[in-house]
């Protein structure tokens, strides 16, 4: 799941707003206000595409948590099957949350933007979205190479299992919503700096259905969500690196009569005492005796899967590398990297009389 995140992460939100990376909240807000006025699609010479880019940048950089995620995370895997990233900044069919933005001294422009795009909680096009949450787990080096399934227990707001999130007692009859007279929508007129605007929004009482249950769900009191502990299974993909993220769509916190946010799991990979990774290859050091380097021999070594025997050629030098094909890290379409063995010749610290005599003869022969 990487294409979407890579696309997002390639966007420079600071550049979009024209601010430095260390800009303060006030500088970010001021830059956003200026550009929002300039590119608003309802104004002559406005640019809807640029306006959406500006708003997207502001939604990330004005939120401390989202800004920290944007600054820190390089890649995100979705459910162990690939990546995606800063998606779900709700709503209005465009992926932005106008109601969540701080429009400050722009007066009622937040409401106007919501009217133009149908945005905001209870807007005519989208459902409210729950909060994204994050956690982290540690895995063994071998598990990062071949993938692993892990279970974690989280305490979070989830959809009610009794009513399946609709807030109604199972089997109860429905009745017309009194708040909207069964229309599912409410007409409102608001005043702004541009004059009076008529707005149609989804009814908060029935959430647009025009009906409400005669009896609310006894488990969630009609809210459709409850806070509980939930066991979650995480499929960690093969080849994941230390510090990368697994994203599980709709496994974040739920929200009443809406959709759930996402769960992000940061993966901490424990170091291995023998192996390190270099791209798709595994790298290890192998200490061999001087006599084995001169005469050649075979060594039995343990890999992450099974023991193998490698042949040490006669006359190898310090620092030479042996390559064992297909014993590295799995990657696309069943392919694997290689195991790279760095040879280190272990020299004796003391020589016996016989060894010294042999070495003297080798020296005389120019070896």
């Amino acid at each position: 799941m990487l294409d979407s995140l890579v696309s997002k992460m390639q966007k420079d939100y600071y550049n979009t707003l024209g601010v430095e990376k260390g800009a303060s909240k006030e500088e970010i807000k001021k830059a956003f206000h200026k550009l929002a006025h300039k590119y608003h699609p309802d104004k002559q010479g406005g640019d809807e595409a640029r306006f959406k880019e500006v708003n997207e940048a502001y939604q990330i950089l004005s939120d401390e948590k989202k800004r920290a995620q944007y600054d820190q995370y390089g890649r995100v895997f979705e459910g162990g099957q690939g990546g995606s990233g800063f998606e779900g900044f709700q709503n209005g069919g465009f992926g932005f949350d106008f109601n969540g933005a701080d429009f400050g001294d722009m007066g009622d422009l937040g409401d106007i933007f919501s009217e133009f795009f149908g945005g905001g909680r209870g807007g005519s096009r989208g459902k409210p979205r729950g909060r994204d949450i994050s956690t982290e787990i540690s895995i063994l080096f071998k598990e990062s190479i071949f993938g692993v399934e892990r279970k974690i227990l989280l305490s979070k707001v989830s959809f009610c299992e009794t009513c399946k999130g609709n807030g109604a007692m199972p089997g109860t009859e429905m009745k017309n919503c009194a708040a909207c007279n069964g229309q599912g929508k409410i007409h409102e007129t608001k005043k702004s700096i541009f004059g009076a605007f008529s707005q149609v929004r989804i009814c908060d009482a029935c959430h647009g259905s025009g009906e409400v249950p005669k009896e609310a769900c006894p488990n969630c009191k009609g809210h459709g969500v409850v806070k509980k502990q939930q066991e979650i299974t995480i499929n960690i993909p093969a080849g994941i690196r230390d510090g990368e993220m697994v994203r599980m769509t709709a496994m974040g916190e739920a929200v009443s009569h809406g959709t759930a946010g996402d769960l992000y799991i940061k993966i901490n990979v424990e170091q291995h005492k023998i192996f390190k990774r270099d791209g798709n290859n595994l790298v290890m050091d192998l200490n061999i005796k001087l006599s084995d380097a001169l005469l050649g021999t075979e060594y039995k070594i343990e890999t992450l899967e099974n023991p193998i025997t490698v042949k040490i050629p006669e006359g190898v030098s310090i620092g030479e590398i042996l390559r064992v094909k297909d014993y590295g890290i799995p990657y696309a379409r069943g392919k694997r990297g290689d195991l790279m063995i760095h040879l280190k010749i272990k020299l004796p610290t003391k020589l016996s009389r016989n060894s010294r005599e042999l070495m003297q003869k080798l020296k005389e022969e120019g070896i």
Side-chain angles (χ1 to χ4, degrees):
M1 153 225 97
L2 281 178
D3 291 344
S4 179
L5 176 67
V6 171
S7 174
K8 291 282 185 185
M9 289 300 293
Q10 286 174 344
K11 294 182 180 180
D12 188 335
Y13 290 133
Y14 295 101
N15 185 58
T16 298
L17 293 182
V19 297
E20 298 293 330
K21 189 171 182 179
S24 66
K25 277 190 174 182
E26 191 62 33
E27 290 172 326
I28 290 171
K29 180 171 152 183
K30 184 176 180 180
F32 169 66
H33 286 182
K34 179 180 178 180
L35 294 173
H37 276 298
K38 179 179 179 180
Y39 293 117
H40 192 279
D42 194 54
K43 295 181 65 176
Q44 185 176 3
D47 187 328
E48 182 175 319
R50 288 285 290 128
F51 177 78
K52 288 191 286 185
E53 289 177 2
V54 167
N55 185 74
E56 179 183 350
Y58 181 71
Q59 290 295 315
I60 303 301
L61 300 184
S62 64
D63 184 290
E64 290 184 3
K65 179 181 175 183
K66 293 175 183 176
R67 182 177 181 179
Q69 288 177 335
Y70 172 72
D71 289 340
Q72 179 178 0
Y73 300 138
R75 275 207 301 172
V76 174
F77 290 86
E78 182 172 4
Q81 300 300 320
S84 185
F86 297 93
E87 299 172 357
F89 303 122
Q90 56 220 15
N91 241 333
F94 288 97
F96 309 127
D97 184 356
F98 295 105
N99 259 19
D102 178 7
F103 290 95
D105 57 6
M106 295 178 74
D108 295 328
L109 281 181
D111 294 330
I112 298 171
F113 292 160
S114 292
E115 179 188 349
F116 286 140
F117 294 100
R121 294 170 182 81
S124 60
R125 296 188 183 182
K127 293 182 178 180
R129 184 178 183 275
R131 194 168 58 93
D132 290 343
I133 58 177
S134 62
T135 186
E136 57 184 272
I137 61 174
S138 295
I139 62 174
L140 299 175
F141 183 84
K142 180 177 179 179
E143 294 172 334
S144 75
I145 301 302
F146 300 111
V148 68
E149 181 180 284
R150 283 292 183 87
K151 295 182 185 294
I152 60 173
L153 191 64
L154 287 180
S155 179
K156 64 186 184 74
V157 178
S158 302
F159 290 116
C160 175
E161 293 182 355
T162 303
C163 66
K164 308 303 180 186
N166 64 18
M169 176 183 285
T172 189
E173 294 182 2
M174 305 298 287
K175 63 180 181 179
N176 272 1
C177 175
C180 64
N181 198 28
Q183 299 299 309
K185 300 177 182 179
I186 293 179
H187 294 261
E188 294 179 332
T189 299
K190 293 186 177 182
K191 294 182 179 180
S192 76
I193 57 177
F194 295 116
F197 289 87
S198 179
Q199 181 180 16
V200 179
R201 65 173 178 84
I202 289 179
C203 175
D204 292 331
C206 66
H207 305 280
S209 67
E211 295 180 320
V212 293
K214 287 186 176 180
E215 295 184 71
C217 172
N219 186 44
C220 65
K221 311 302 182 186
H223 296 294
V225 294
V226 292
K227 186 161 187 176
K228 63 177 184 178
Q229 285 194 326
Q230 183 177 352
E231 186 179 70
I232 297 173
T233 300
I234 309 166
N235 291 311
I236 300 173
I240 196 167
R241 296 175 182 270
D242 181 50
E244 289 184 336
M245 304 283 289
V246 172
R247 175 194 180 194
M248 299 188 69
T249 304
M251 293 302 292
E253 291 208 328
V255 64
S256 182
H257 300 281
T259 59
D262 297 335
L263 169 63
Y264 289 86
I265 307 103
K266 182 181 179 182
I267 306 300
N268 299 315
V269 180
E270 296 180 6
Q271 291 186 349
H272 198 277
K273 61 181 181 180
I274 297 176
F275 299 102
K276 295 180 181 179
R277 68 179 294 167
D278 181 14
N280 291 322
N281 295 327
L282 287 176
V283 179
M284 65 169 288
D285 293 334
L286 178 63
N287 292 317
I288 64 174
K289 295 185 294 184
L290 176 60
S291 57
D292 291 336
L294 294 172
L295 303 175
T297 187
E298 290 184 346
Y299 272 71
K300 188 175 183 179
I301 63 173
E302 295 286 339
T303 69
L304 293 176
E305 300 161 84
N306 52 270
I308 62 173
T309 300
V310 295
K311 184 177 181 180
I312 309 298
E314 182 179 324
V316 296
S317 303
I318 295 176
E320 286 198 29
I321 299 173
L322 300 181
R323 181 191 296 267
V324 183
K325 298 285 290 183
D326 299 327
Y327 267 82
I329 299 167
Y331 61 99
R333 299 181 181 178
K335 296 182 179 180
R336 293 187 62 172
D338 301 327
L339 172 61
M340 313 297 287
I341 304 174
H342 290 249
L343 298 180
K344 294 183 176 294
I345 300 176
K346 187 176 182 180
L347 298 176
T349 56
K350 291 184 179 181
L351 293 176
S352 65
R353 178 181 295 178
N354 288 337
S355 296
R356 185 177 293 276
E357 289 175 356
L358 290 172
M359 293 303 298
Q360 185 62 38
K361 289 181 180 180
L362 290 175
K363 181 178 180 180
E364 291 172 358
E365 292 179 10
I367 298 177

